[in-house]
């Protein structure tokens, strides 16, 4: 059967009640919902005999959202969903226009994880352990990433101990960082150590060590540890916190064994 809606003699909407694909018993059925644009009705929605539901795009020829009744799966952009929600050839947007946080949850019976935008904290993006109420990482709009901290002030800001099973590599040369303490690469294959915003020690590519000097091995020796100071400097020999002796260069350039 057909139910039609007309205006001024033109069919503008229609519901088709028809038999399904059983051509023998004719004991199943399907429903088509059609609407008209510019006087021609087009498929908008189909409920099949097995409970599948198809939502059609504007031309009425291709289903763009599909409910698979037998598997209880919803497909957007596909009529063959393989998961509970299957989005194909498109993007997903979760947007909050109020004061709440837009978020995505993953949960088992005992654990819940959340990805969210923290609407109350400068729209930072976070991953949270909702079960333990802990924030795992936080990314801010300046491009800083915090692990173990929700207020990252550097490109990578870790509030805890960092461990590598292999190595930490410094891939580019840079100038002395303005940090209270830091390790950086001042030149190719060099390693430098900073305290109080100042370079204090450097190991060069030959393995020479300089303390308060950026060009160790002044003689040069095959290998050297070079200690430099503006007035006097010394290598101290101590047991515990008790000084037992030192090699010193005094302000008058005398070398002393103390």
């Amino acid at each position: 059967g057909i139910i039609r809606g007309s205006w001024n003699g033109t069919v503008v909407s229609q519901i088709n009640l028809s038999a399904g694909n059983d051509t023998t018993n004719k004991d199943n059925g399907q429903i088509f919902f059609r609407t008209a644009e510019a006087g021609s009705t087009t498929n908008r929605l189909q409920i099949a005999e097995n409970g599948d539901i198809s939502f059609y795009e504007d031309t009425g020829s291709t289903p763009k959202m599909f409910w698979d009744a037998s598997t209880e799966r919803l497909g957007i952009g596909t009529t063959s969903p393989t998961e509970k929600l299957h989005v194909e050839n498109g993007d997903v947007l979760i947007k909050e226009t109020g004061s709440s946080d837009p978020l995505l949850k993953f949960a088992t019976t005992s654990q819940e994880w959340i990805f969210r935008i923290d609407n109350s904290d400068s729209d930072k993006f976070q991953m949270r352990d909702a079960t333990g109420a802990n924030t795992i990482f936080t990314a801010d709009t300046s491009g800083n990433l915090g692990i173990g901290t929700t207020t990252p002030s550097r490109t990578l800001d870790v509030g805890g101990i960092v461990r590598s099973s292999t190595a930490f590599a410094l891939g580019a040369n840079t100038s002395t960082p303005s940090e209270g303490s830091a390790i950086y690469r001042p030149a190719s294959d060099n390693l430098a150590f900073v305290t109080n915003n100042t370079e204090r020690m450097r190991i060069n590519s030959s393995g020479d060590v300089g303390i308060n000097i950026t060009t160790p091995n002044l003689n040069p020796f095959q290998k050297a540890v070079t200690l430099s100071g503006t007035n006097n400097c010394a290598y101290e020999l101590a047991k515990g916190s008790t000084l037992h002796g030192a090699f010193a260069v005094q302000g008058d350039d005398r070398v002393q064994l103390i």
Side-chain angles (χ1 to χ4, degrees):
I2 298 176
I3 302 173
R4 292 188 177 95
S6 300
W7 182 82
N8 200 24
T10 301
V11 176
V12 294
S13 60
Q14 182 173 302
I15 301 175
N16 289 13
L17 309 174
S18 62
N21 57 12
D22 184 352
T23 59
T24 302
N25 298 318
K26 301 290 185 179
D27 58 357
N28 57 14
Q30 53 188 334
I31 305 173
F32 289 90
F33 294 82
R34 300 168 63 89
T35 63
E37 184 177 19
S40 178
T41 60
T42 304
N43 284 334
R44 301 303 182 194
L45 173 68
Q46 176 192 0
I47 303 176
E49 61 274 4
N50 61 355
D52 291 350
I53 304 174
S54 300
F55 298 83
Y56 288 83
E57 35 71 272
D58 59 342
T59 67
S61 59
T62 305
K64 289 300 183 180
M65 187 163 69
F66 179 78
W67 169 252
D68 189 324
S70 62
T71 61
E72 299 181 353
R73 295 170 179 167
L74 179 64
I76 301 177
T78 177
T79 56
S80 303
T82 58
E83 304 296 338
K84 289 295 184 182
L85 175 61
H86 180 160
V87 179
E88 191 166 303
N89 297 326
D91 302 321
V92 177
L93 174 64
I94 301 174
K95 185 175 182 178
E96 171 60 51
T97 58
S99 59
S100 299
D101 297 335
L103 55 84
L104 182 63
K105 292 183 178 182
F106 299 87
T108 63
T109 55
S110 59
Q111 177 65 40
E112 183 174 280
W113 296 91
I114 293 177
F115 289 95
R116 74 171 185 178
I117 296 176
D118 192 344
N119 213 341
S120 63
D121 190 9
S122 303
D123 292 335
K124 293 175 180 176
F125 180 71
Q126 296 178 330
M127 175 182 174
R128 284 181 53 81
D129 169 10
T131 303
N134 297 316
T135 300
I136 308 303
F137 72 73
T138 299
D140 65 21
T141 55
S142 298
N144 297 325
L145 177 64
I147 300 176
T149 176
T150 59
T151 56
S153 59
R154 298 293 184 269
T155 302
L156 177 60
D157 199 337
V158 179
I161 298 173
V162 179
R163 178 180 179 181
S164 172
S165 59
T166 54
F168 293 100
L170 303 176
N173 301 339
T174 185
S175 57
T176 305
S178 297
E179 297 287 346
S181 57
I183 301 173
Y184 77 107
R185 173 177 156 172
S188 296
D189 301 324
N190 279 231
L191 187 64
F193 299 82
V194 169
T195 63
N196 196 22
N197 305 319
T198 303
E199 181 180 321
R200 303 301 187 185
M201 186 173 76
R202 179 180 298 203
I203 304 172
N204 66 17
S205 58
S206 299
D208 301 312
V209 178
I211 302 175
N212 283 337
I213 185 172
T214 59
T215 56
N217 200 350
L218 303 176
N219 190 60
F221 298 97
Q222 183 177 5
K223 289 288 181 291
V225 176
T226 306
L227 175 64
S228 177
T230 57
N231 189 11
N232 53 49
C233 58
Y235 286 106
E236 293 184 337
L237 303 177
K239 183 178 181 180
S241 59
T242 302
L243 178 65
H244 287 271
F247 293 99
V249 179
Q250 300 295 344
D252 56 4
D253 296 337
R254 290 179 296 113
V255 178
Q256 290 183 314
L257 174 60
I258 301 172

